[in-house]
Amino acid sequence: MTPEQALAYLAGRRGLGIRPGVERVRRLLGVMGDPQDAYPVIHVAGTNGKTSTARIAAAIVTAHGLAAGEFTSPPLLAVEEQFAFGGIPMTAGELGAAVADVAPFVEAVEAGSPEVTEFEVLTAVAFSWYAERAANAAVIEAGLGGTDDATNVVGAEVAALTGVAADHVDVLGPTVAAIAAAKAGIVHDGAVLVSGVLPAAAEGPVAARVAETGATWRRFGADFRLDSVAQAVGGWLVDVDGVYDRYDEVYLPLHGRHQAANLAVAVVSVEELFGRALDPEAVRAGAAAARVAGRLEVVGAEPVVVLDVAHNPAGFAALADALAEEFLPTEWTVVFGARGARDPAAMLEPLRGMVDRLVVAAAVDPLAIDPAVLAAAGSAALAGVPVDLAASVPAAVTAALAAAPGGGGVLVAGSHAVVGEARAVLVGTE
């Protein structure tokens, strides 16, 4: 398949939506020879921080001289962004070839009735692509939840749970406890669970899953911790006290103090994958090489322009903290868009007092929230801040750059699609 044919093939399954459960992808991978069992896996779930943790963990594995596969979701713009091997992103041509390899098996298991979703095809592409390349290990990010996520067809040796907060309540459940139970479903018999900071309501469901599976639980603050987190140019200098060893002066080139906790979870996850202490120099090299587009990413200087996929209230709270701590007092002109069953007012509330002007827009996304709804929510959440409606995300970015006062900044925040479209305008698509 050409890249265009592969994208059309995937788009043809988009209408199937999200169908929780692992039965379809398990059947598909079974006829493919179960490639997901060809290498050990770190499986990453959590409400926020999954992609950052997965990218850091994969970079640390790679820095130890091993070939690591990496699957994250969703992409900001291009489907192939979700895949990397040995630290090198998949190309559009490789995506076409990988989808072509999987397509005959998809058609065989469907028996003429399309039922395998787009994300399930992508999951099969990931597992088979890494097996074909004889991966030494893979870091796989759960798409939605855990128990019924397509990626949970793998019985990972290490499960990482970055944190739990209210999100996707229409699918995962109305309470933090229900969401925690769903996400803890990635813990399998005899695995090691590495968890970040968990709210009290999540403790019980996670403990129950650990007891059910006989897993070993490594907990942030008890079994491993951050001994020092100091702001550095473009990121943080961190001392991590892991399970097997201590790793000092680890430079992490990501904004947001919360990324230090993601680093700790990633380090300990790799420790448990190896079952030993890590090479401190490889930890430093891997962390220094970690890049996560769209996570408090600075893409402009005059004015300063920041992109962040803070797509739920907890994400916006972390974003607000980072802006206050790491950036000079700035009047922010904010480009905002959201999707699905989100509460845009609750998302924007943490930014109250920091926003000079709000520009709302809908991404090219069938689940994008109407800009008029976003505008009303913004006016309510931000206490009378001027709100403009833009016809598109690129138009919103242009308007925000023009409106930003001298010495001010532009923040693009919200859904992955909004940030992806803005990033294409500001940075390009390469």
Side-chain angles (χ1 to χ4, degrees):
M1 287 186 185
T2 65
E4 294 74 19
Q5 289 171 329
L7 292 176
Y9 179 85
L10 293 168
R13 294 174 178 277
R14 204 158 292 155
L16 296 172
I18 298 172
R19 295 185 176 182
V22 299
E23 297 78 11
R24 292 174 301 278
V25 73
R26 178 173 287 130
R27 189 166 68 250
L28 171 59
L29 290 169
V31 300
M32 294 173 63
D34 288 317
Q36 76 278 10
D37 296 333
Y39 39 78
V41 168
I42 297 172
H43 198 180
V44 184
T47 302
N48 292 308
K50 298 190 299 295
T51 298
S52 297
T53 302
R55 293 273 174 87
I56 297 167
I60 292 172
V61 173
T62 300
H64 279 83
L66 300 177
E70 176 189 328
F71 179 52
T72 58
S73 63
L76 291 180
L77 200 62
V79 173
E80 61 267 22
E81 293 173 23
Q82 298 176 251
F83 309 88
F85 184 74
I88 301 173
M90 175 186 270
T91 66
E94 287 171 331
L95 175 68
V99 172
D101 286 344
V102 169
F105 296 102
V106 173
E107 292 156 12
V109 302
E110 288 181 325
S113 177
E115 60 175 0
V116 179
T117 69
E118 178 186 21
F119 185 70
E120 289 167 345
V121 173
L122 293 172
T123 299
V125 165
F127 286 130
S128 62
W129 197 57
Y130 304 139
E132 179 186 340
R133 282 154 181 73
N136 299 119
V139 183
I140 305 293
E141 176 185 344
L144 178 61
T147 302
D148 292 325
D149 187 73
T151 61
N152 203 34
V153 70
V154 66
E157 288 78 0
V158 179
L161 181 56
T162 59
V164 180
D167 197 19
H168 295 295
V169 295
D170 53 330
V171 178
L172 302 180
T175 66
V176 168
I179 294 168
K183 293 183 182 297
I186 67 167
V187 181
H188 293 273
D189 291 349
V192 178
L193 168 64
V194 181
S195 66
V197 179
L198 299 179
E203 293 279 347
V206 174
R209 181 62 178 176
V210 168
E212 177 187 353
T213 57
T216 300
W217 191 0
R218 305 299 193 192
R219 305 174 66 168
F220 183 92
D223 302 297
F224 65 99
R225 61 192 54 79
L226 296 169
D227 279 348
S228 175
V229 181
Q231 195 169 346
V233 177
W236 299 89
L237 196 62
V238 184
D239 294 345
V240 179
D241 190 2
V243 169
Y244 293 92
D245 204 351
R246 178 186 169 93
Y247 311 93
D248 292 331
E249 297 187 336
V250 180
Y251 174 65
L252 183 65
L254 303 175
H255 290 287
R257 184 179 289 270
H258 57 279
Q259 293 287 14
N262 292 332
L263 168 65
V265 171
V267 166
V268 173
S269 295
V270 179
E271 279 190 325
E272 291 296 350
L273 184 73
F274 291 180
R276 59 170 174 80
L278 305 179
D279 177 351
E281 289 305 317
V283 171
R284 294 186 188 99
R291 298 290 184 273
V292 193
R295 277 71 176 177
L296 279 160
E297 181 185 16
V298 178
V299 297
E302 294 183 5
V304 62
V305 181
V306 178
L307 309 178
D308 194 68
V309 291
H311 55 284
N312 53 48
F316 267 84
L319 167 60
D321 288 344
L323 293 177
E325 183 172 22
E326 297 183 60
F327 294 84
L328 294 173
T330 300
E331 294 177 293
W332 292 99
T333 300
V334 177
V335 174
F336 173 64
R339 75 189 305 268
R342 297 302 201 295
D343 180 347
M347 294 167 70
L348 289 168
E349 175 65 31
L351 296 181
R352 183 188 287 259
M354 306 175 73
V355 180
D356 180 66
R357 178 174 293 274
L358 180 68
V359 185
V360 298
V364 181
D365 176 357
L367 295 181
I369 297 175
D370 189 310
V373 174
L374 299 175
S379 293
L382 300 177
V385 165
V387 179
D388 299 326
L389 279 73
S392 66
V393 172
V397 170
T398 299
L401 290 170
V410 172
L411 168 67
V412 181
S415 72
H416 288 72
V418 166
V419 172
E421 290 183 25
R423 195 175 192 277
V425 172
L426 295 162
V427 179
T429 57
E430 292 301 318

